[in-house]
């Protein structure tokens, strides 16, 4: 959702920047007496003067604007990921949490420190930790999916999360060169 908001923000910002430059250019040309530079505002003004609120084109344009506004509102009402995961503490009145990125780094370090692992990528989406690890070809017998899953479970359990995430492990063997 963060990406969609950023893309929409960039699109709107670029659109407003374009409109601002367009207005400045049009004002300069109008003040210089050269008439419209890029957009013929006078014909647009004349077209709008001939339309009433009951016109089909006015209703379509108004409906599209309202639909766009409702779409933007709906995008903002979609629930976001919680920025942190709650940690179990000795006292329930104290709210303690850990950042999602800290959980990812902790699991990534735990898996990366295992013998035989050459690379570990970890993602935390929703309430699921996904580990994508690659083991070295020469040490592939000792490192199994179960050992990587155990290391991941130990790392997550050490964080004492109130709702521990589900764990998914994918283990591949690196190709020898």
């Amino acid at each position: 959702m963060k990406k969609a908001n950023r893309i929409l923000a960039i699109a709107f910002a670029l659109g407003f920047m374009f409109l601002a430059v367009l207005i400045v250019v049009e004002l300069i040309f109008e003040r210089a007496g050269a008439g419209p530079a890029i957009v013929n505002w006078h014909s647009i003004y004349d077209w709008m003067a001939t339309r009433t609120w009951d016109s089909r084109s006015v209703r379509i344009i108004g409906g599209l604007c309202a639909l766009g506004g409702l779409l933007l509102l709906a995008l903002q009402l979609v629930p976001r990921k919680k920025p942190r995961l709650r940690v179990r503490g000795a006292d329930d009145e104290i709210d303690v949490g850990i950042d999602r990125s800290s959980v990812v780094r902790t699991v990534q370090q735990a898996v990366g420190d295992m013998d035989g692992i050459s690379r570990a990528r970890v993602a935390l989406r929703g309430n699921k930790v996904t580990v994508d690890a690659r083991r070295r070809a020469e040490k592939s017998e000792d490192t199994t999916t179960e050992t990587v899953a155990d290391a991941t479970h130990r790392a997550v359990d050490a964080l004492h999360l109130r709702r521990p995430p589900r764990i998914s492990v994918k283990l591949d063997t690196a190709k020898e060169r």
Side-chain angles (χ1 to χ4, degrees):
M1 200 65 216
K2 218 178 201 182
K3 289 181 184 178
N5 279 347
R6 288 181 180 166
I7 290 170
L8 282 173
I10 289 171
F12 278 108
L14 289 174
F16 284 128
M17 286 174 32
F18 174 76
L19 283 175
V21 170
L22 179 68
I23 290 171
V24 168
V25 168
E26 290 292 335
L27 284 174
I28 291 171
F29 271 75
E30 188 67 32
R31 292 288 177 159
I38 299 170
V39 178
N40 188 359
W41 299 103
H42 300 293
S43 66
I44 295 172
Y45 179 77
D46 293 339
W47 179 84
M48 286 191 298
T50 61
R51 302 291 180 252
T52 64
W53 286 108
D54 293 337
S55 299
R56 173 184 253 172
S57 58
V58 172
R59 288 184 179 204
I60 289 173
I61 292 170
L64 289 174
C65 289
L67 185 66
L70 287 174
L71 177 67
L72 289 174
L73 180 64
L75 284 174
Q76 292 303 314
L77 293 177
V78 172
R80 310 265 188 266
K81 286 189 290 191
K82 294 180 181 175
R84 60 188 184 91
L85 300 175
R86 295 178 70 186
V87 176
R88 274 184 275 129
D91 191 359
D92 285 340
E93 294 180 10
I94 299 173
D95 187 28
V96 181
I98 185 169
D99 287 337
R100 300 174 77 80
S101 60
S102 297
V103 174
V104 169
R105 282 192 305 266
T106 300
V107 172
Q108 192 165 13
Q109 185 174 5
V111 173
D113 288 347
M114 293 178 62
D115 287 336
I117 297 291
S118 63
R119 177 186 59 93
R121 290 187 181 158
V122 179
L124 176 59
R125 291 184 185 91
N127 197 32
K128 183 179 181 182
V129 172
T130 305
V131 178
D132 184 10
R134 181 167 290 164
R135 60 183 165 197
R136 293 185 189 95
E138 65 271 6
K139 295 186 177 183
S140 62
E141 309 86 34
D142 298 337
T143 308
T144 64
T145 304
E146 290 78 27
T147 57
V148 174
D150 288 341
T152 304
H153 279 288
R154 281 194 304 275
V156 169
D157 290 342
L159 296 174
H160 304 290
L161 299 173
R162 285 193 183 178
R163 249 183 81 209
R166 293 175 289 129
I167 295 173
S168 170
V169 175
K170 179 183 173 192
L171 183 63
D172 290 330
T173 303
K175 296 180 178 107
E176 293 186 48
R177 294 181 183 198

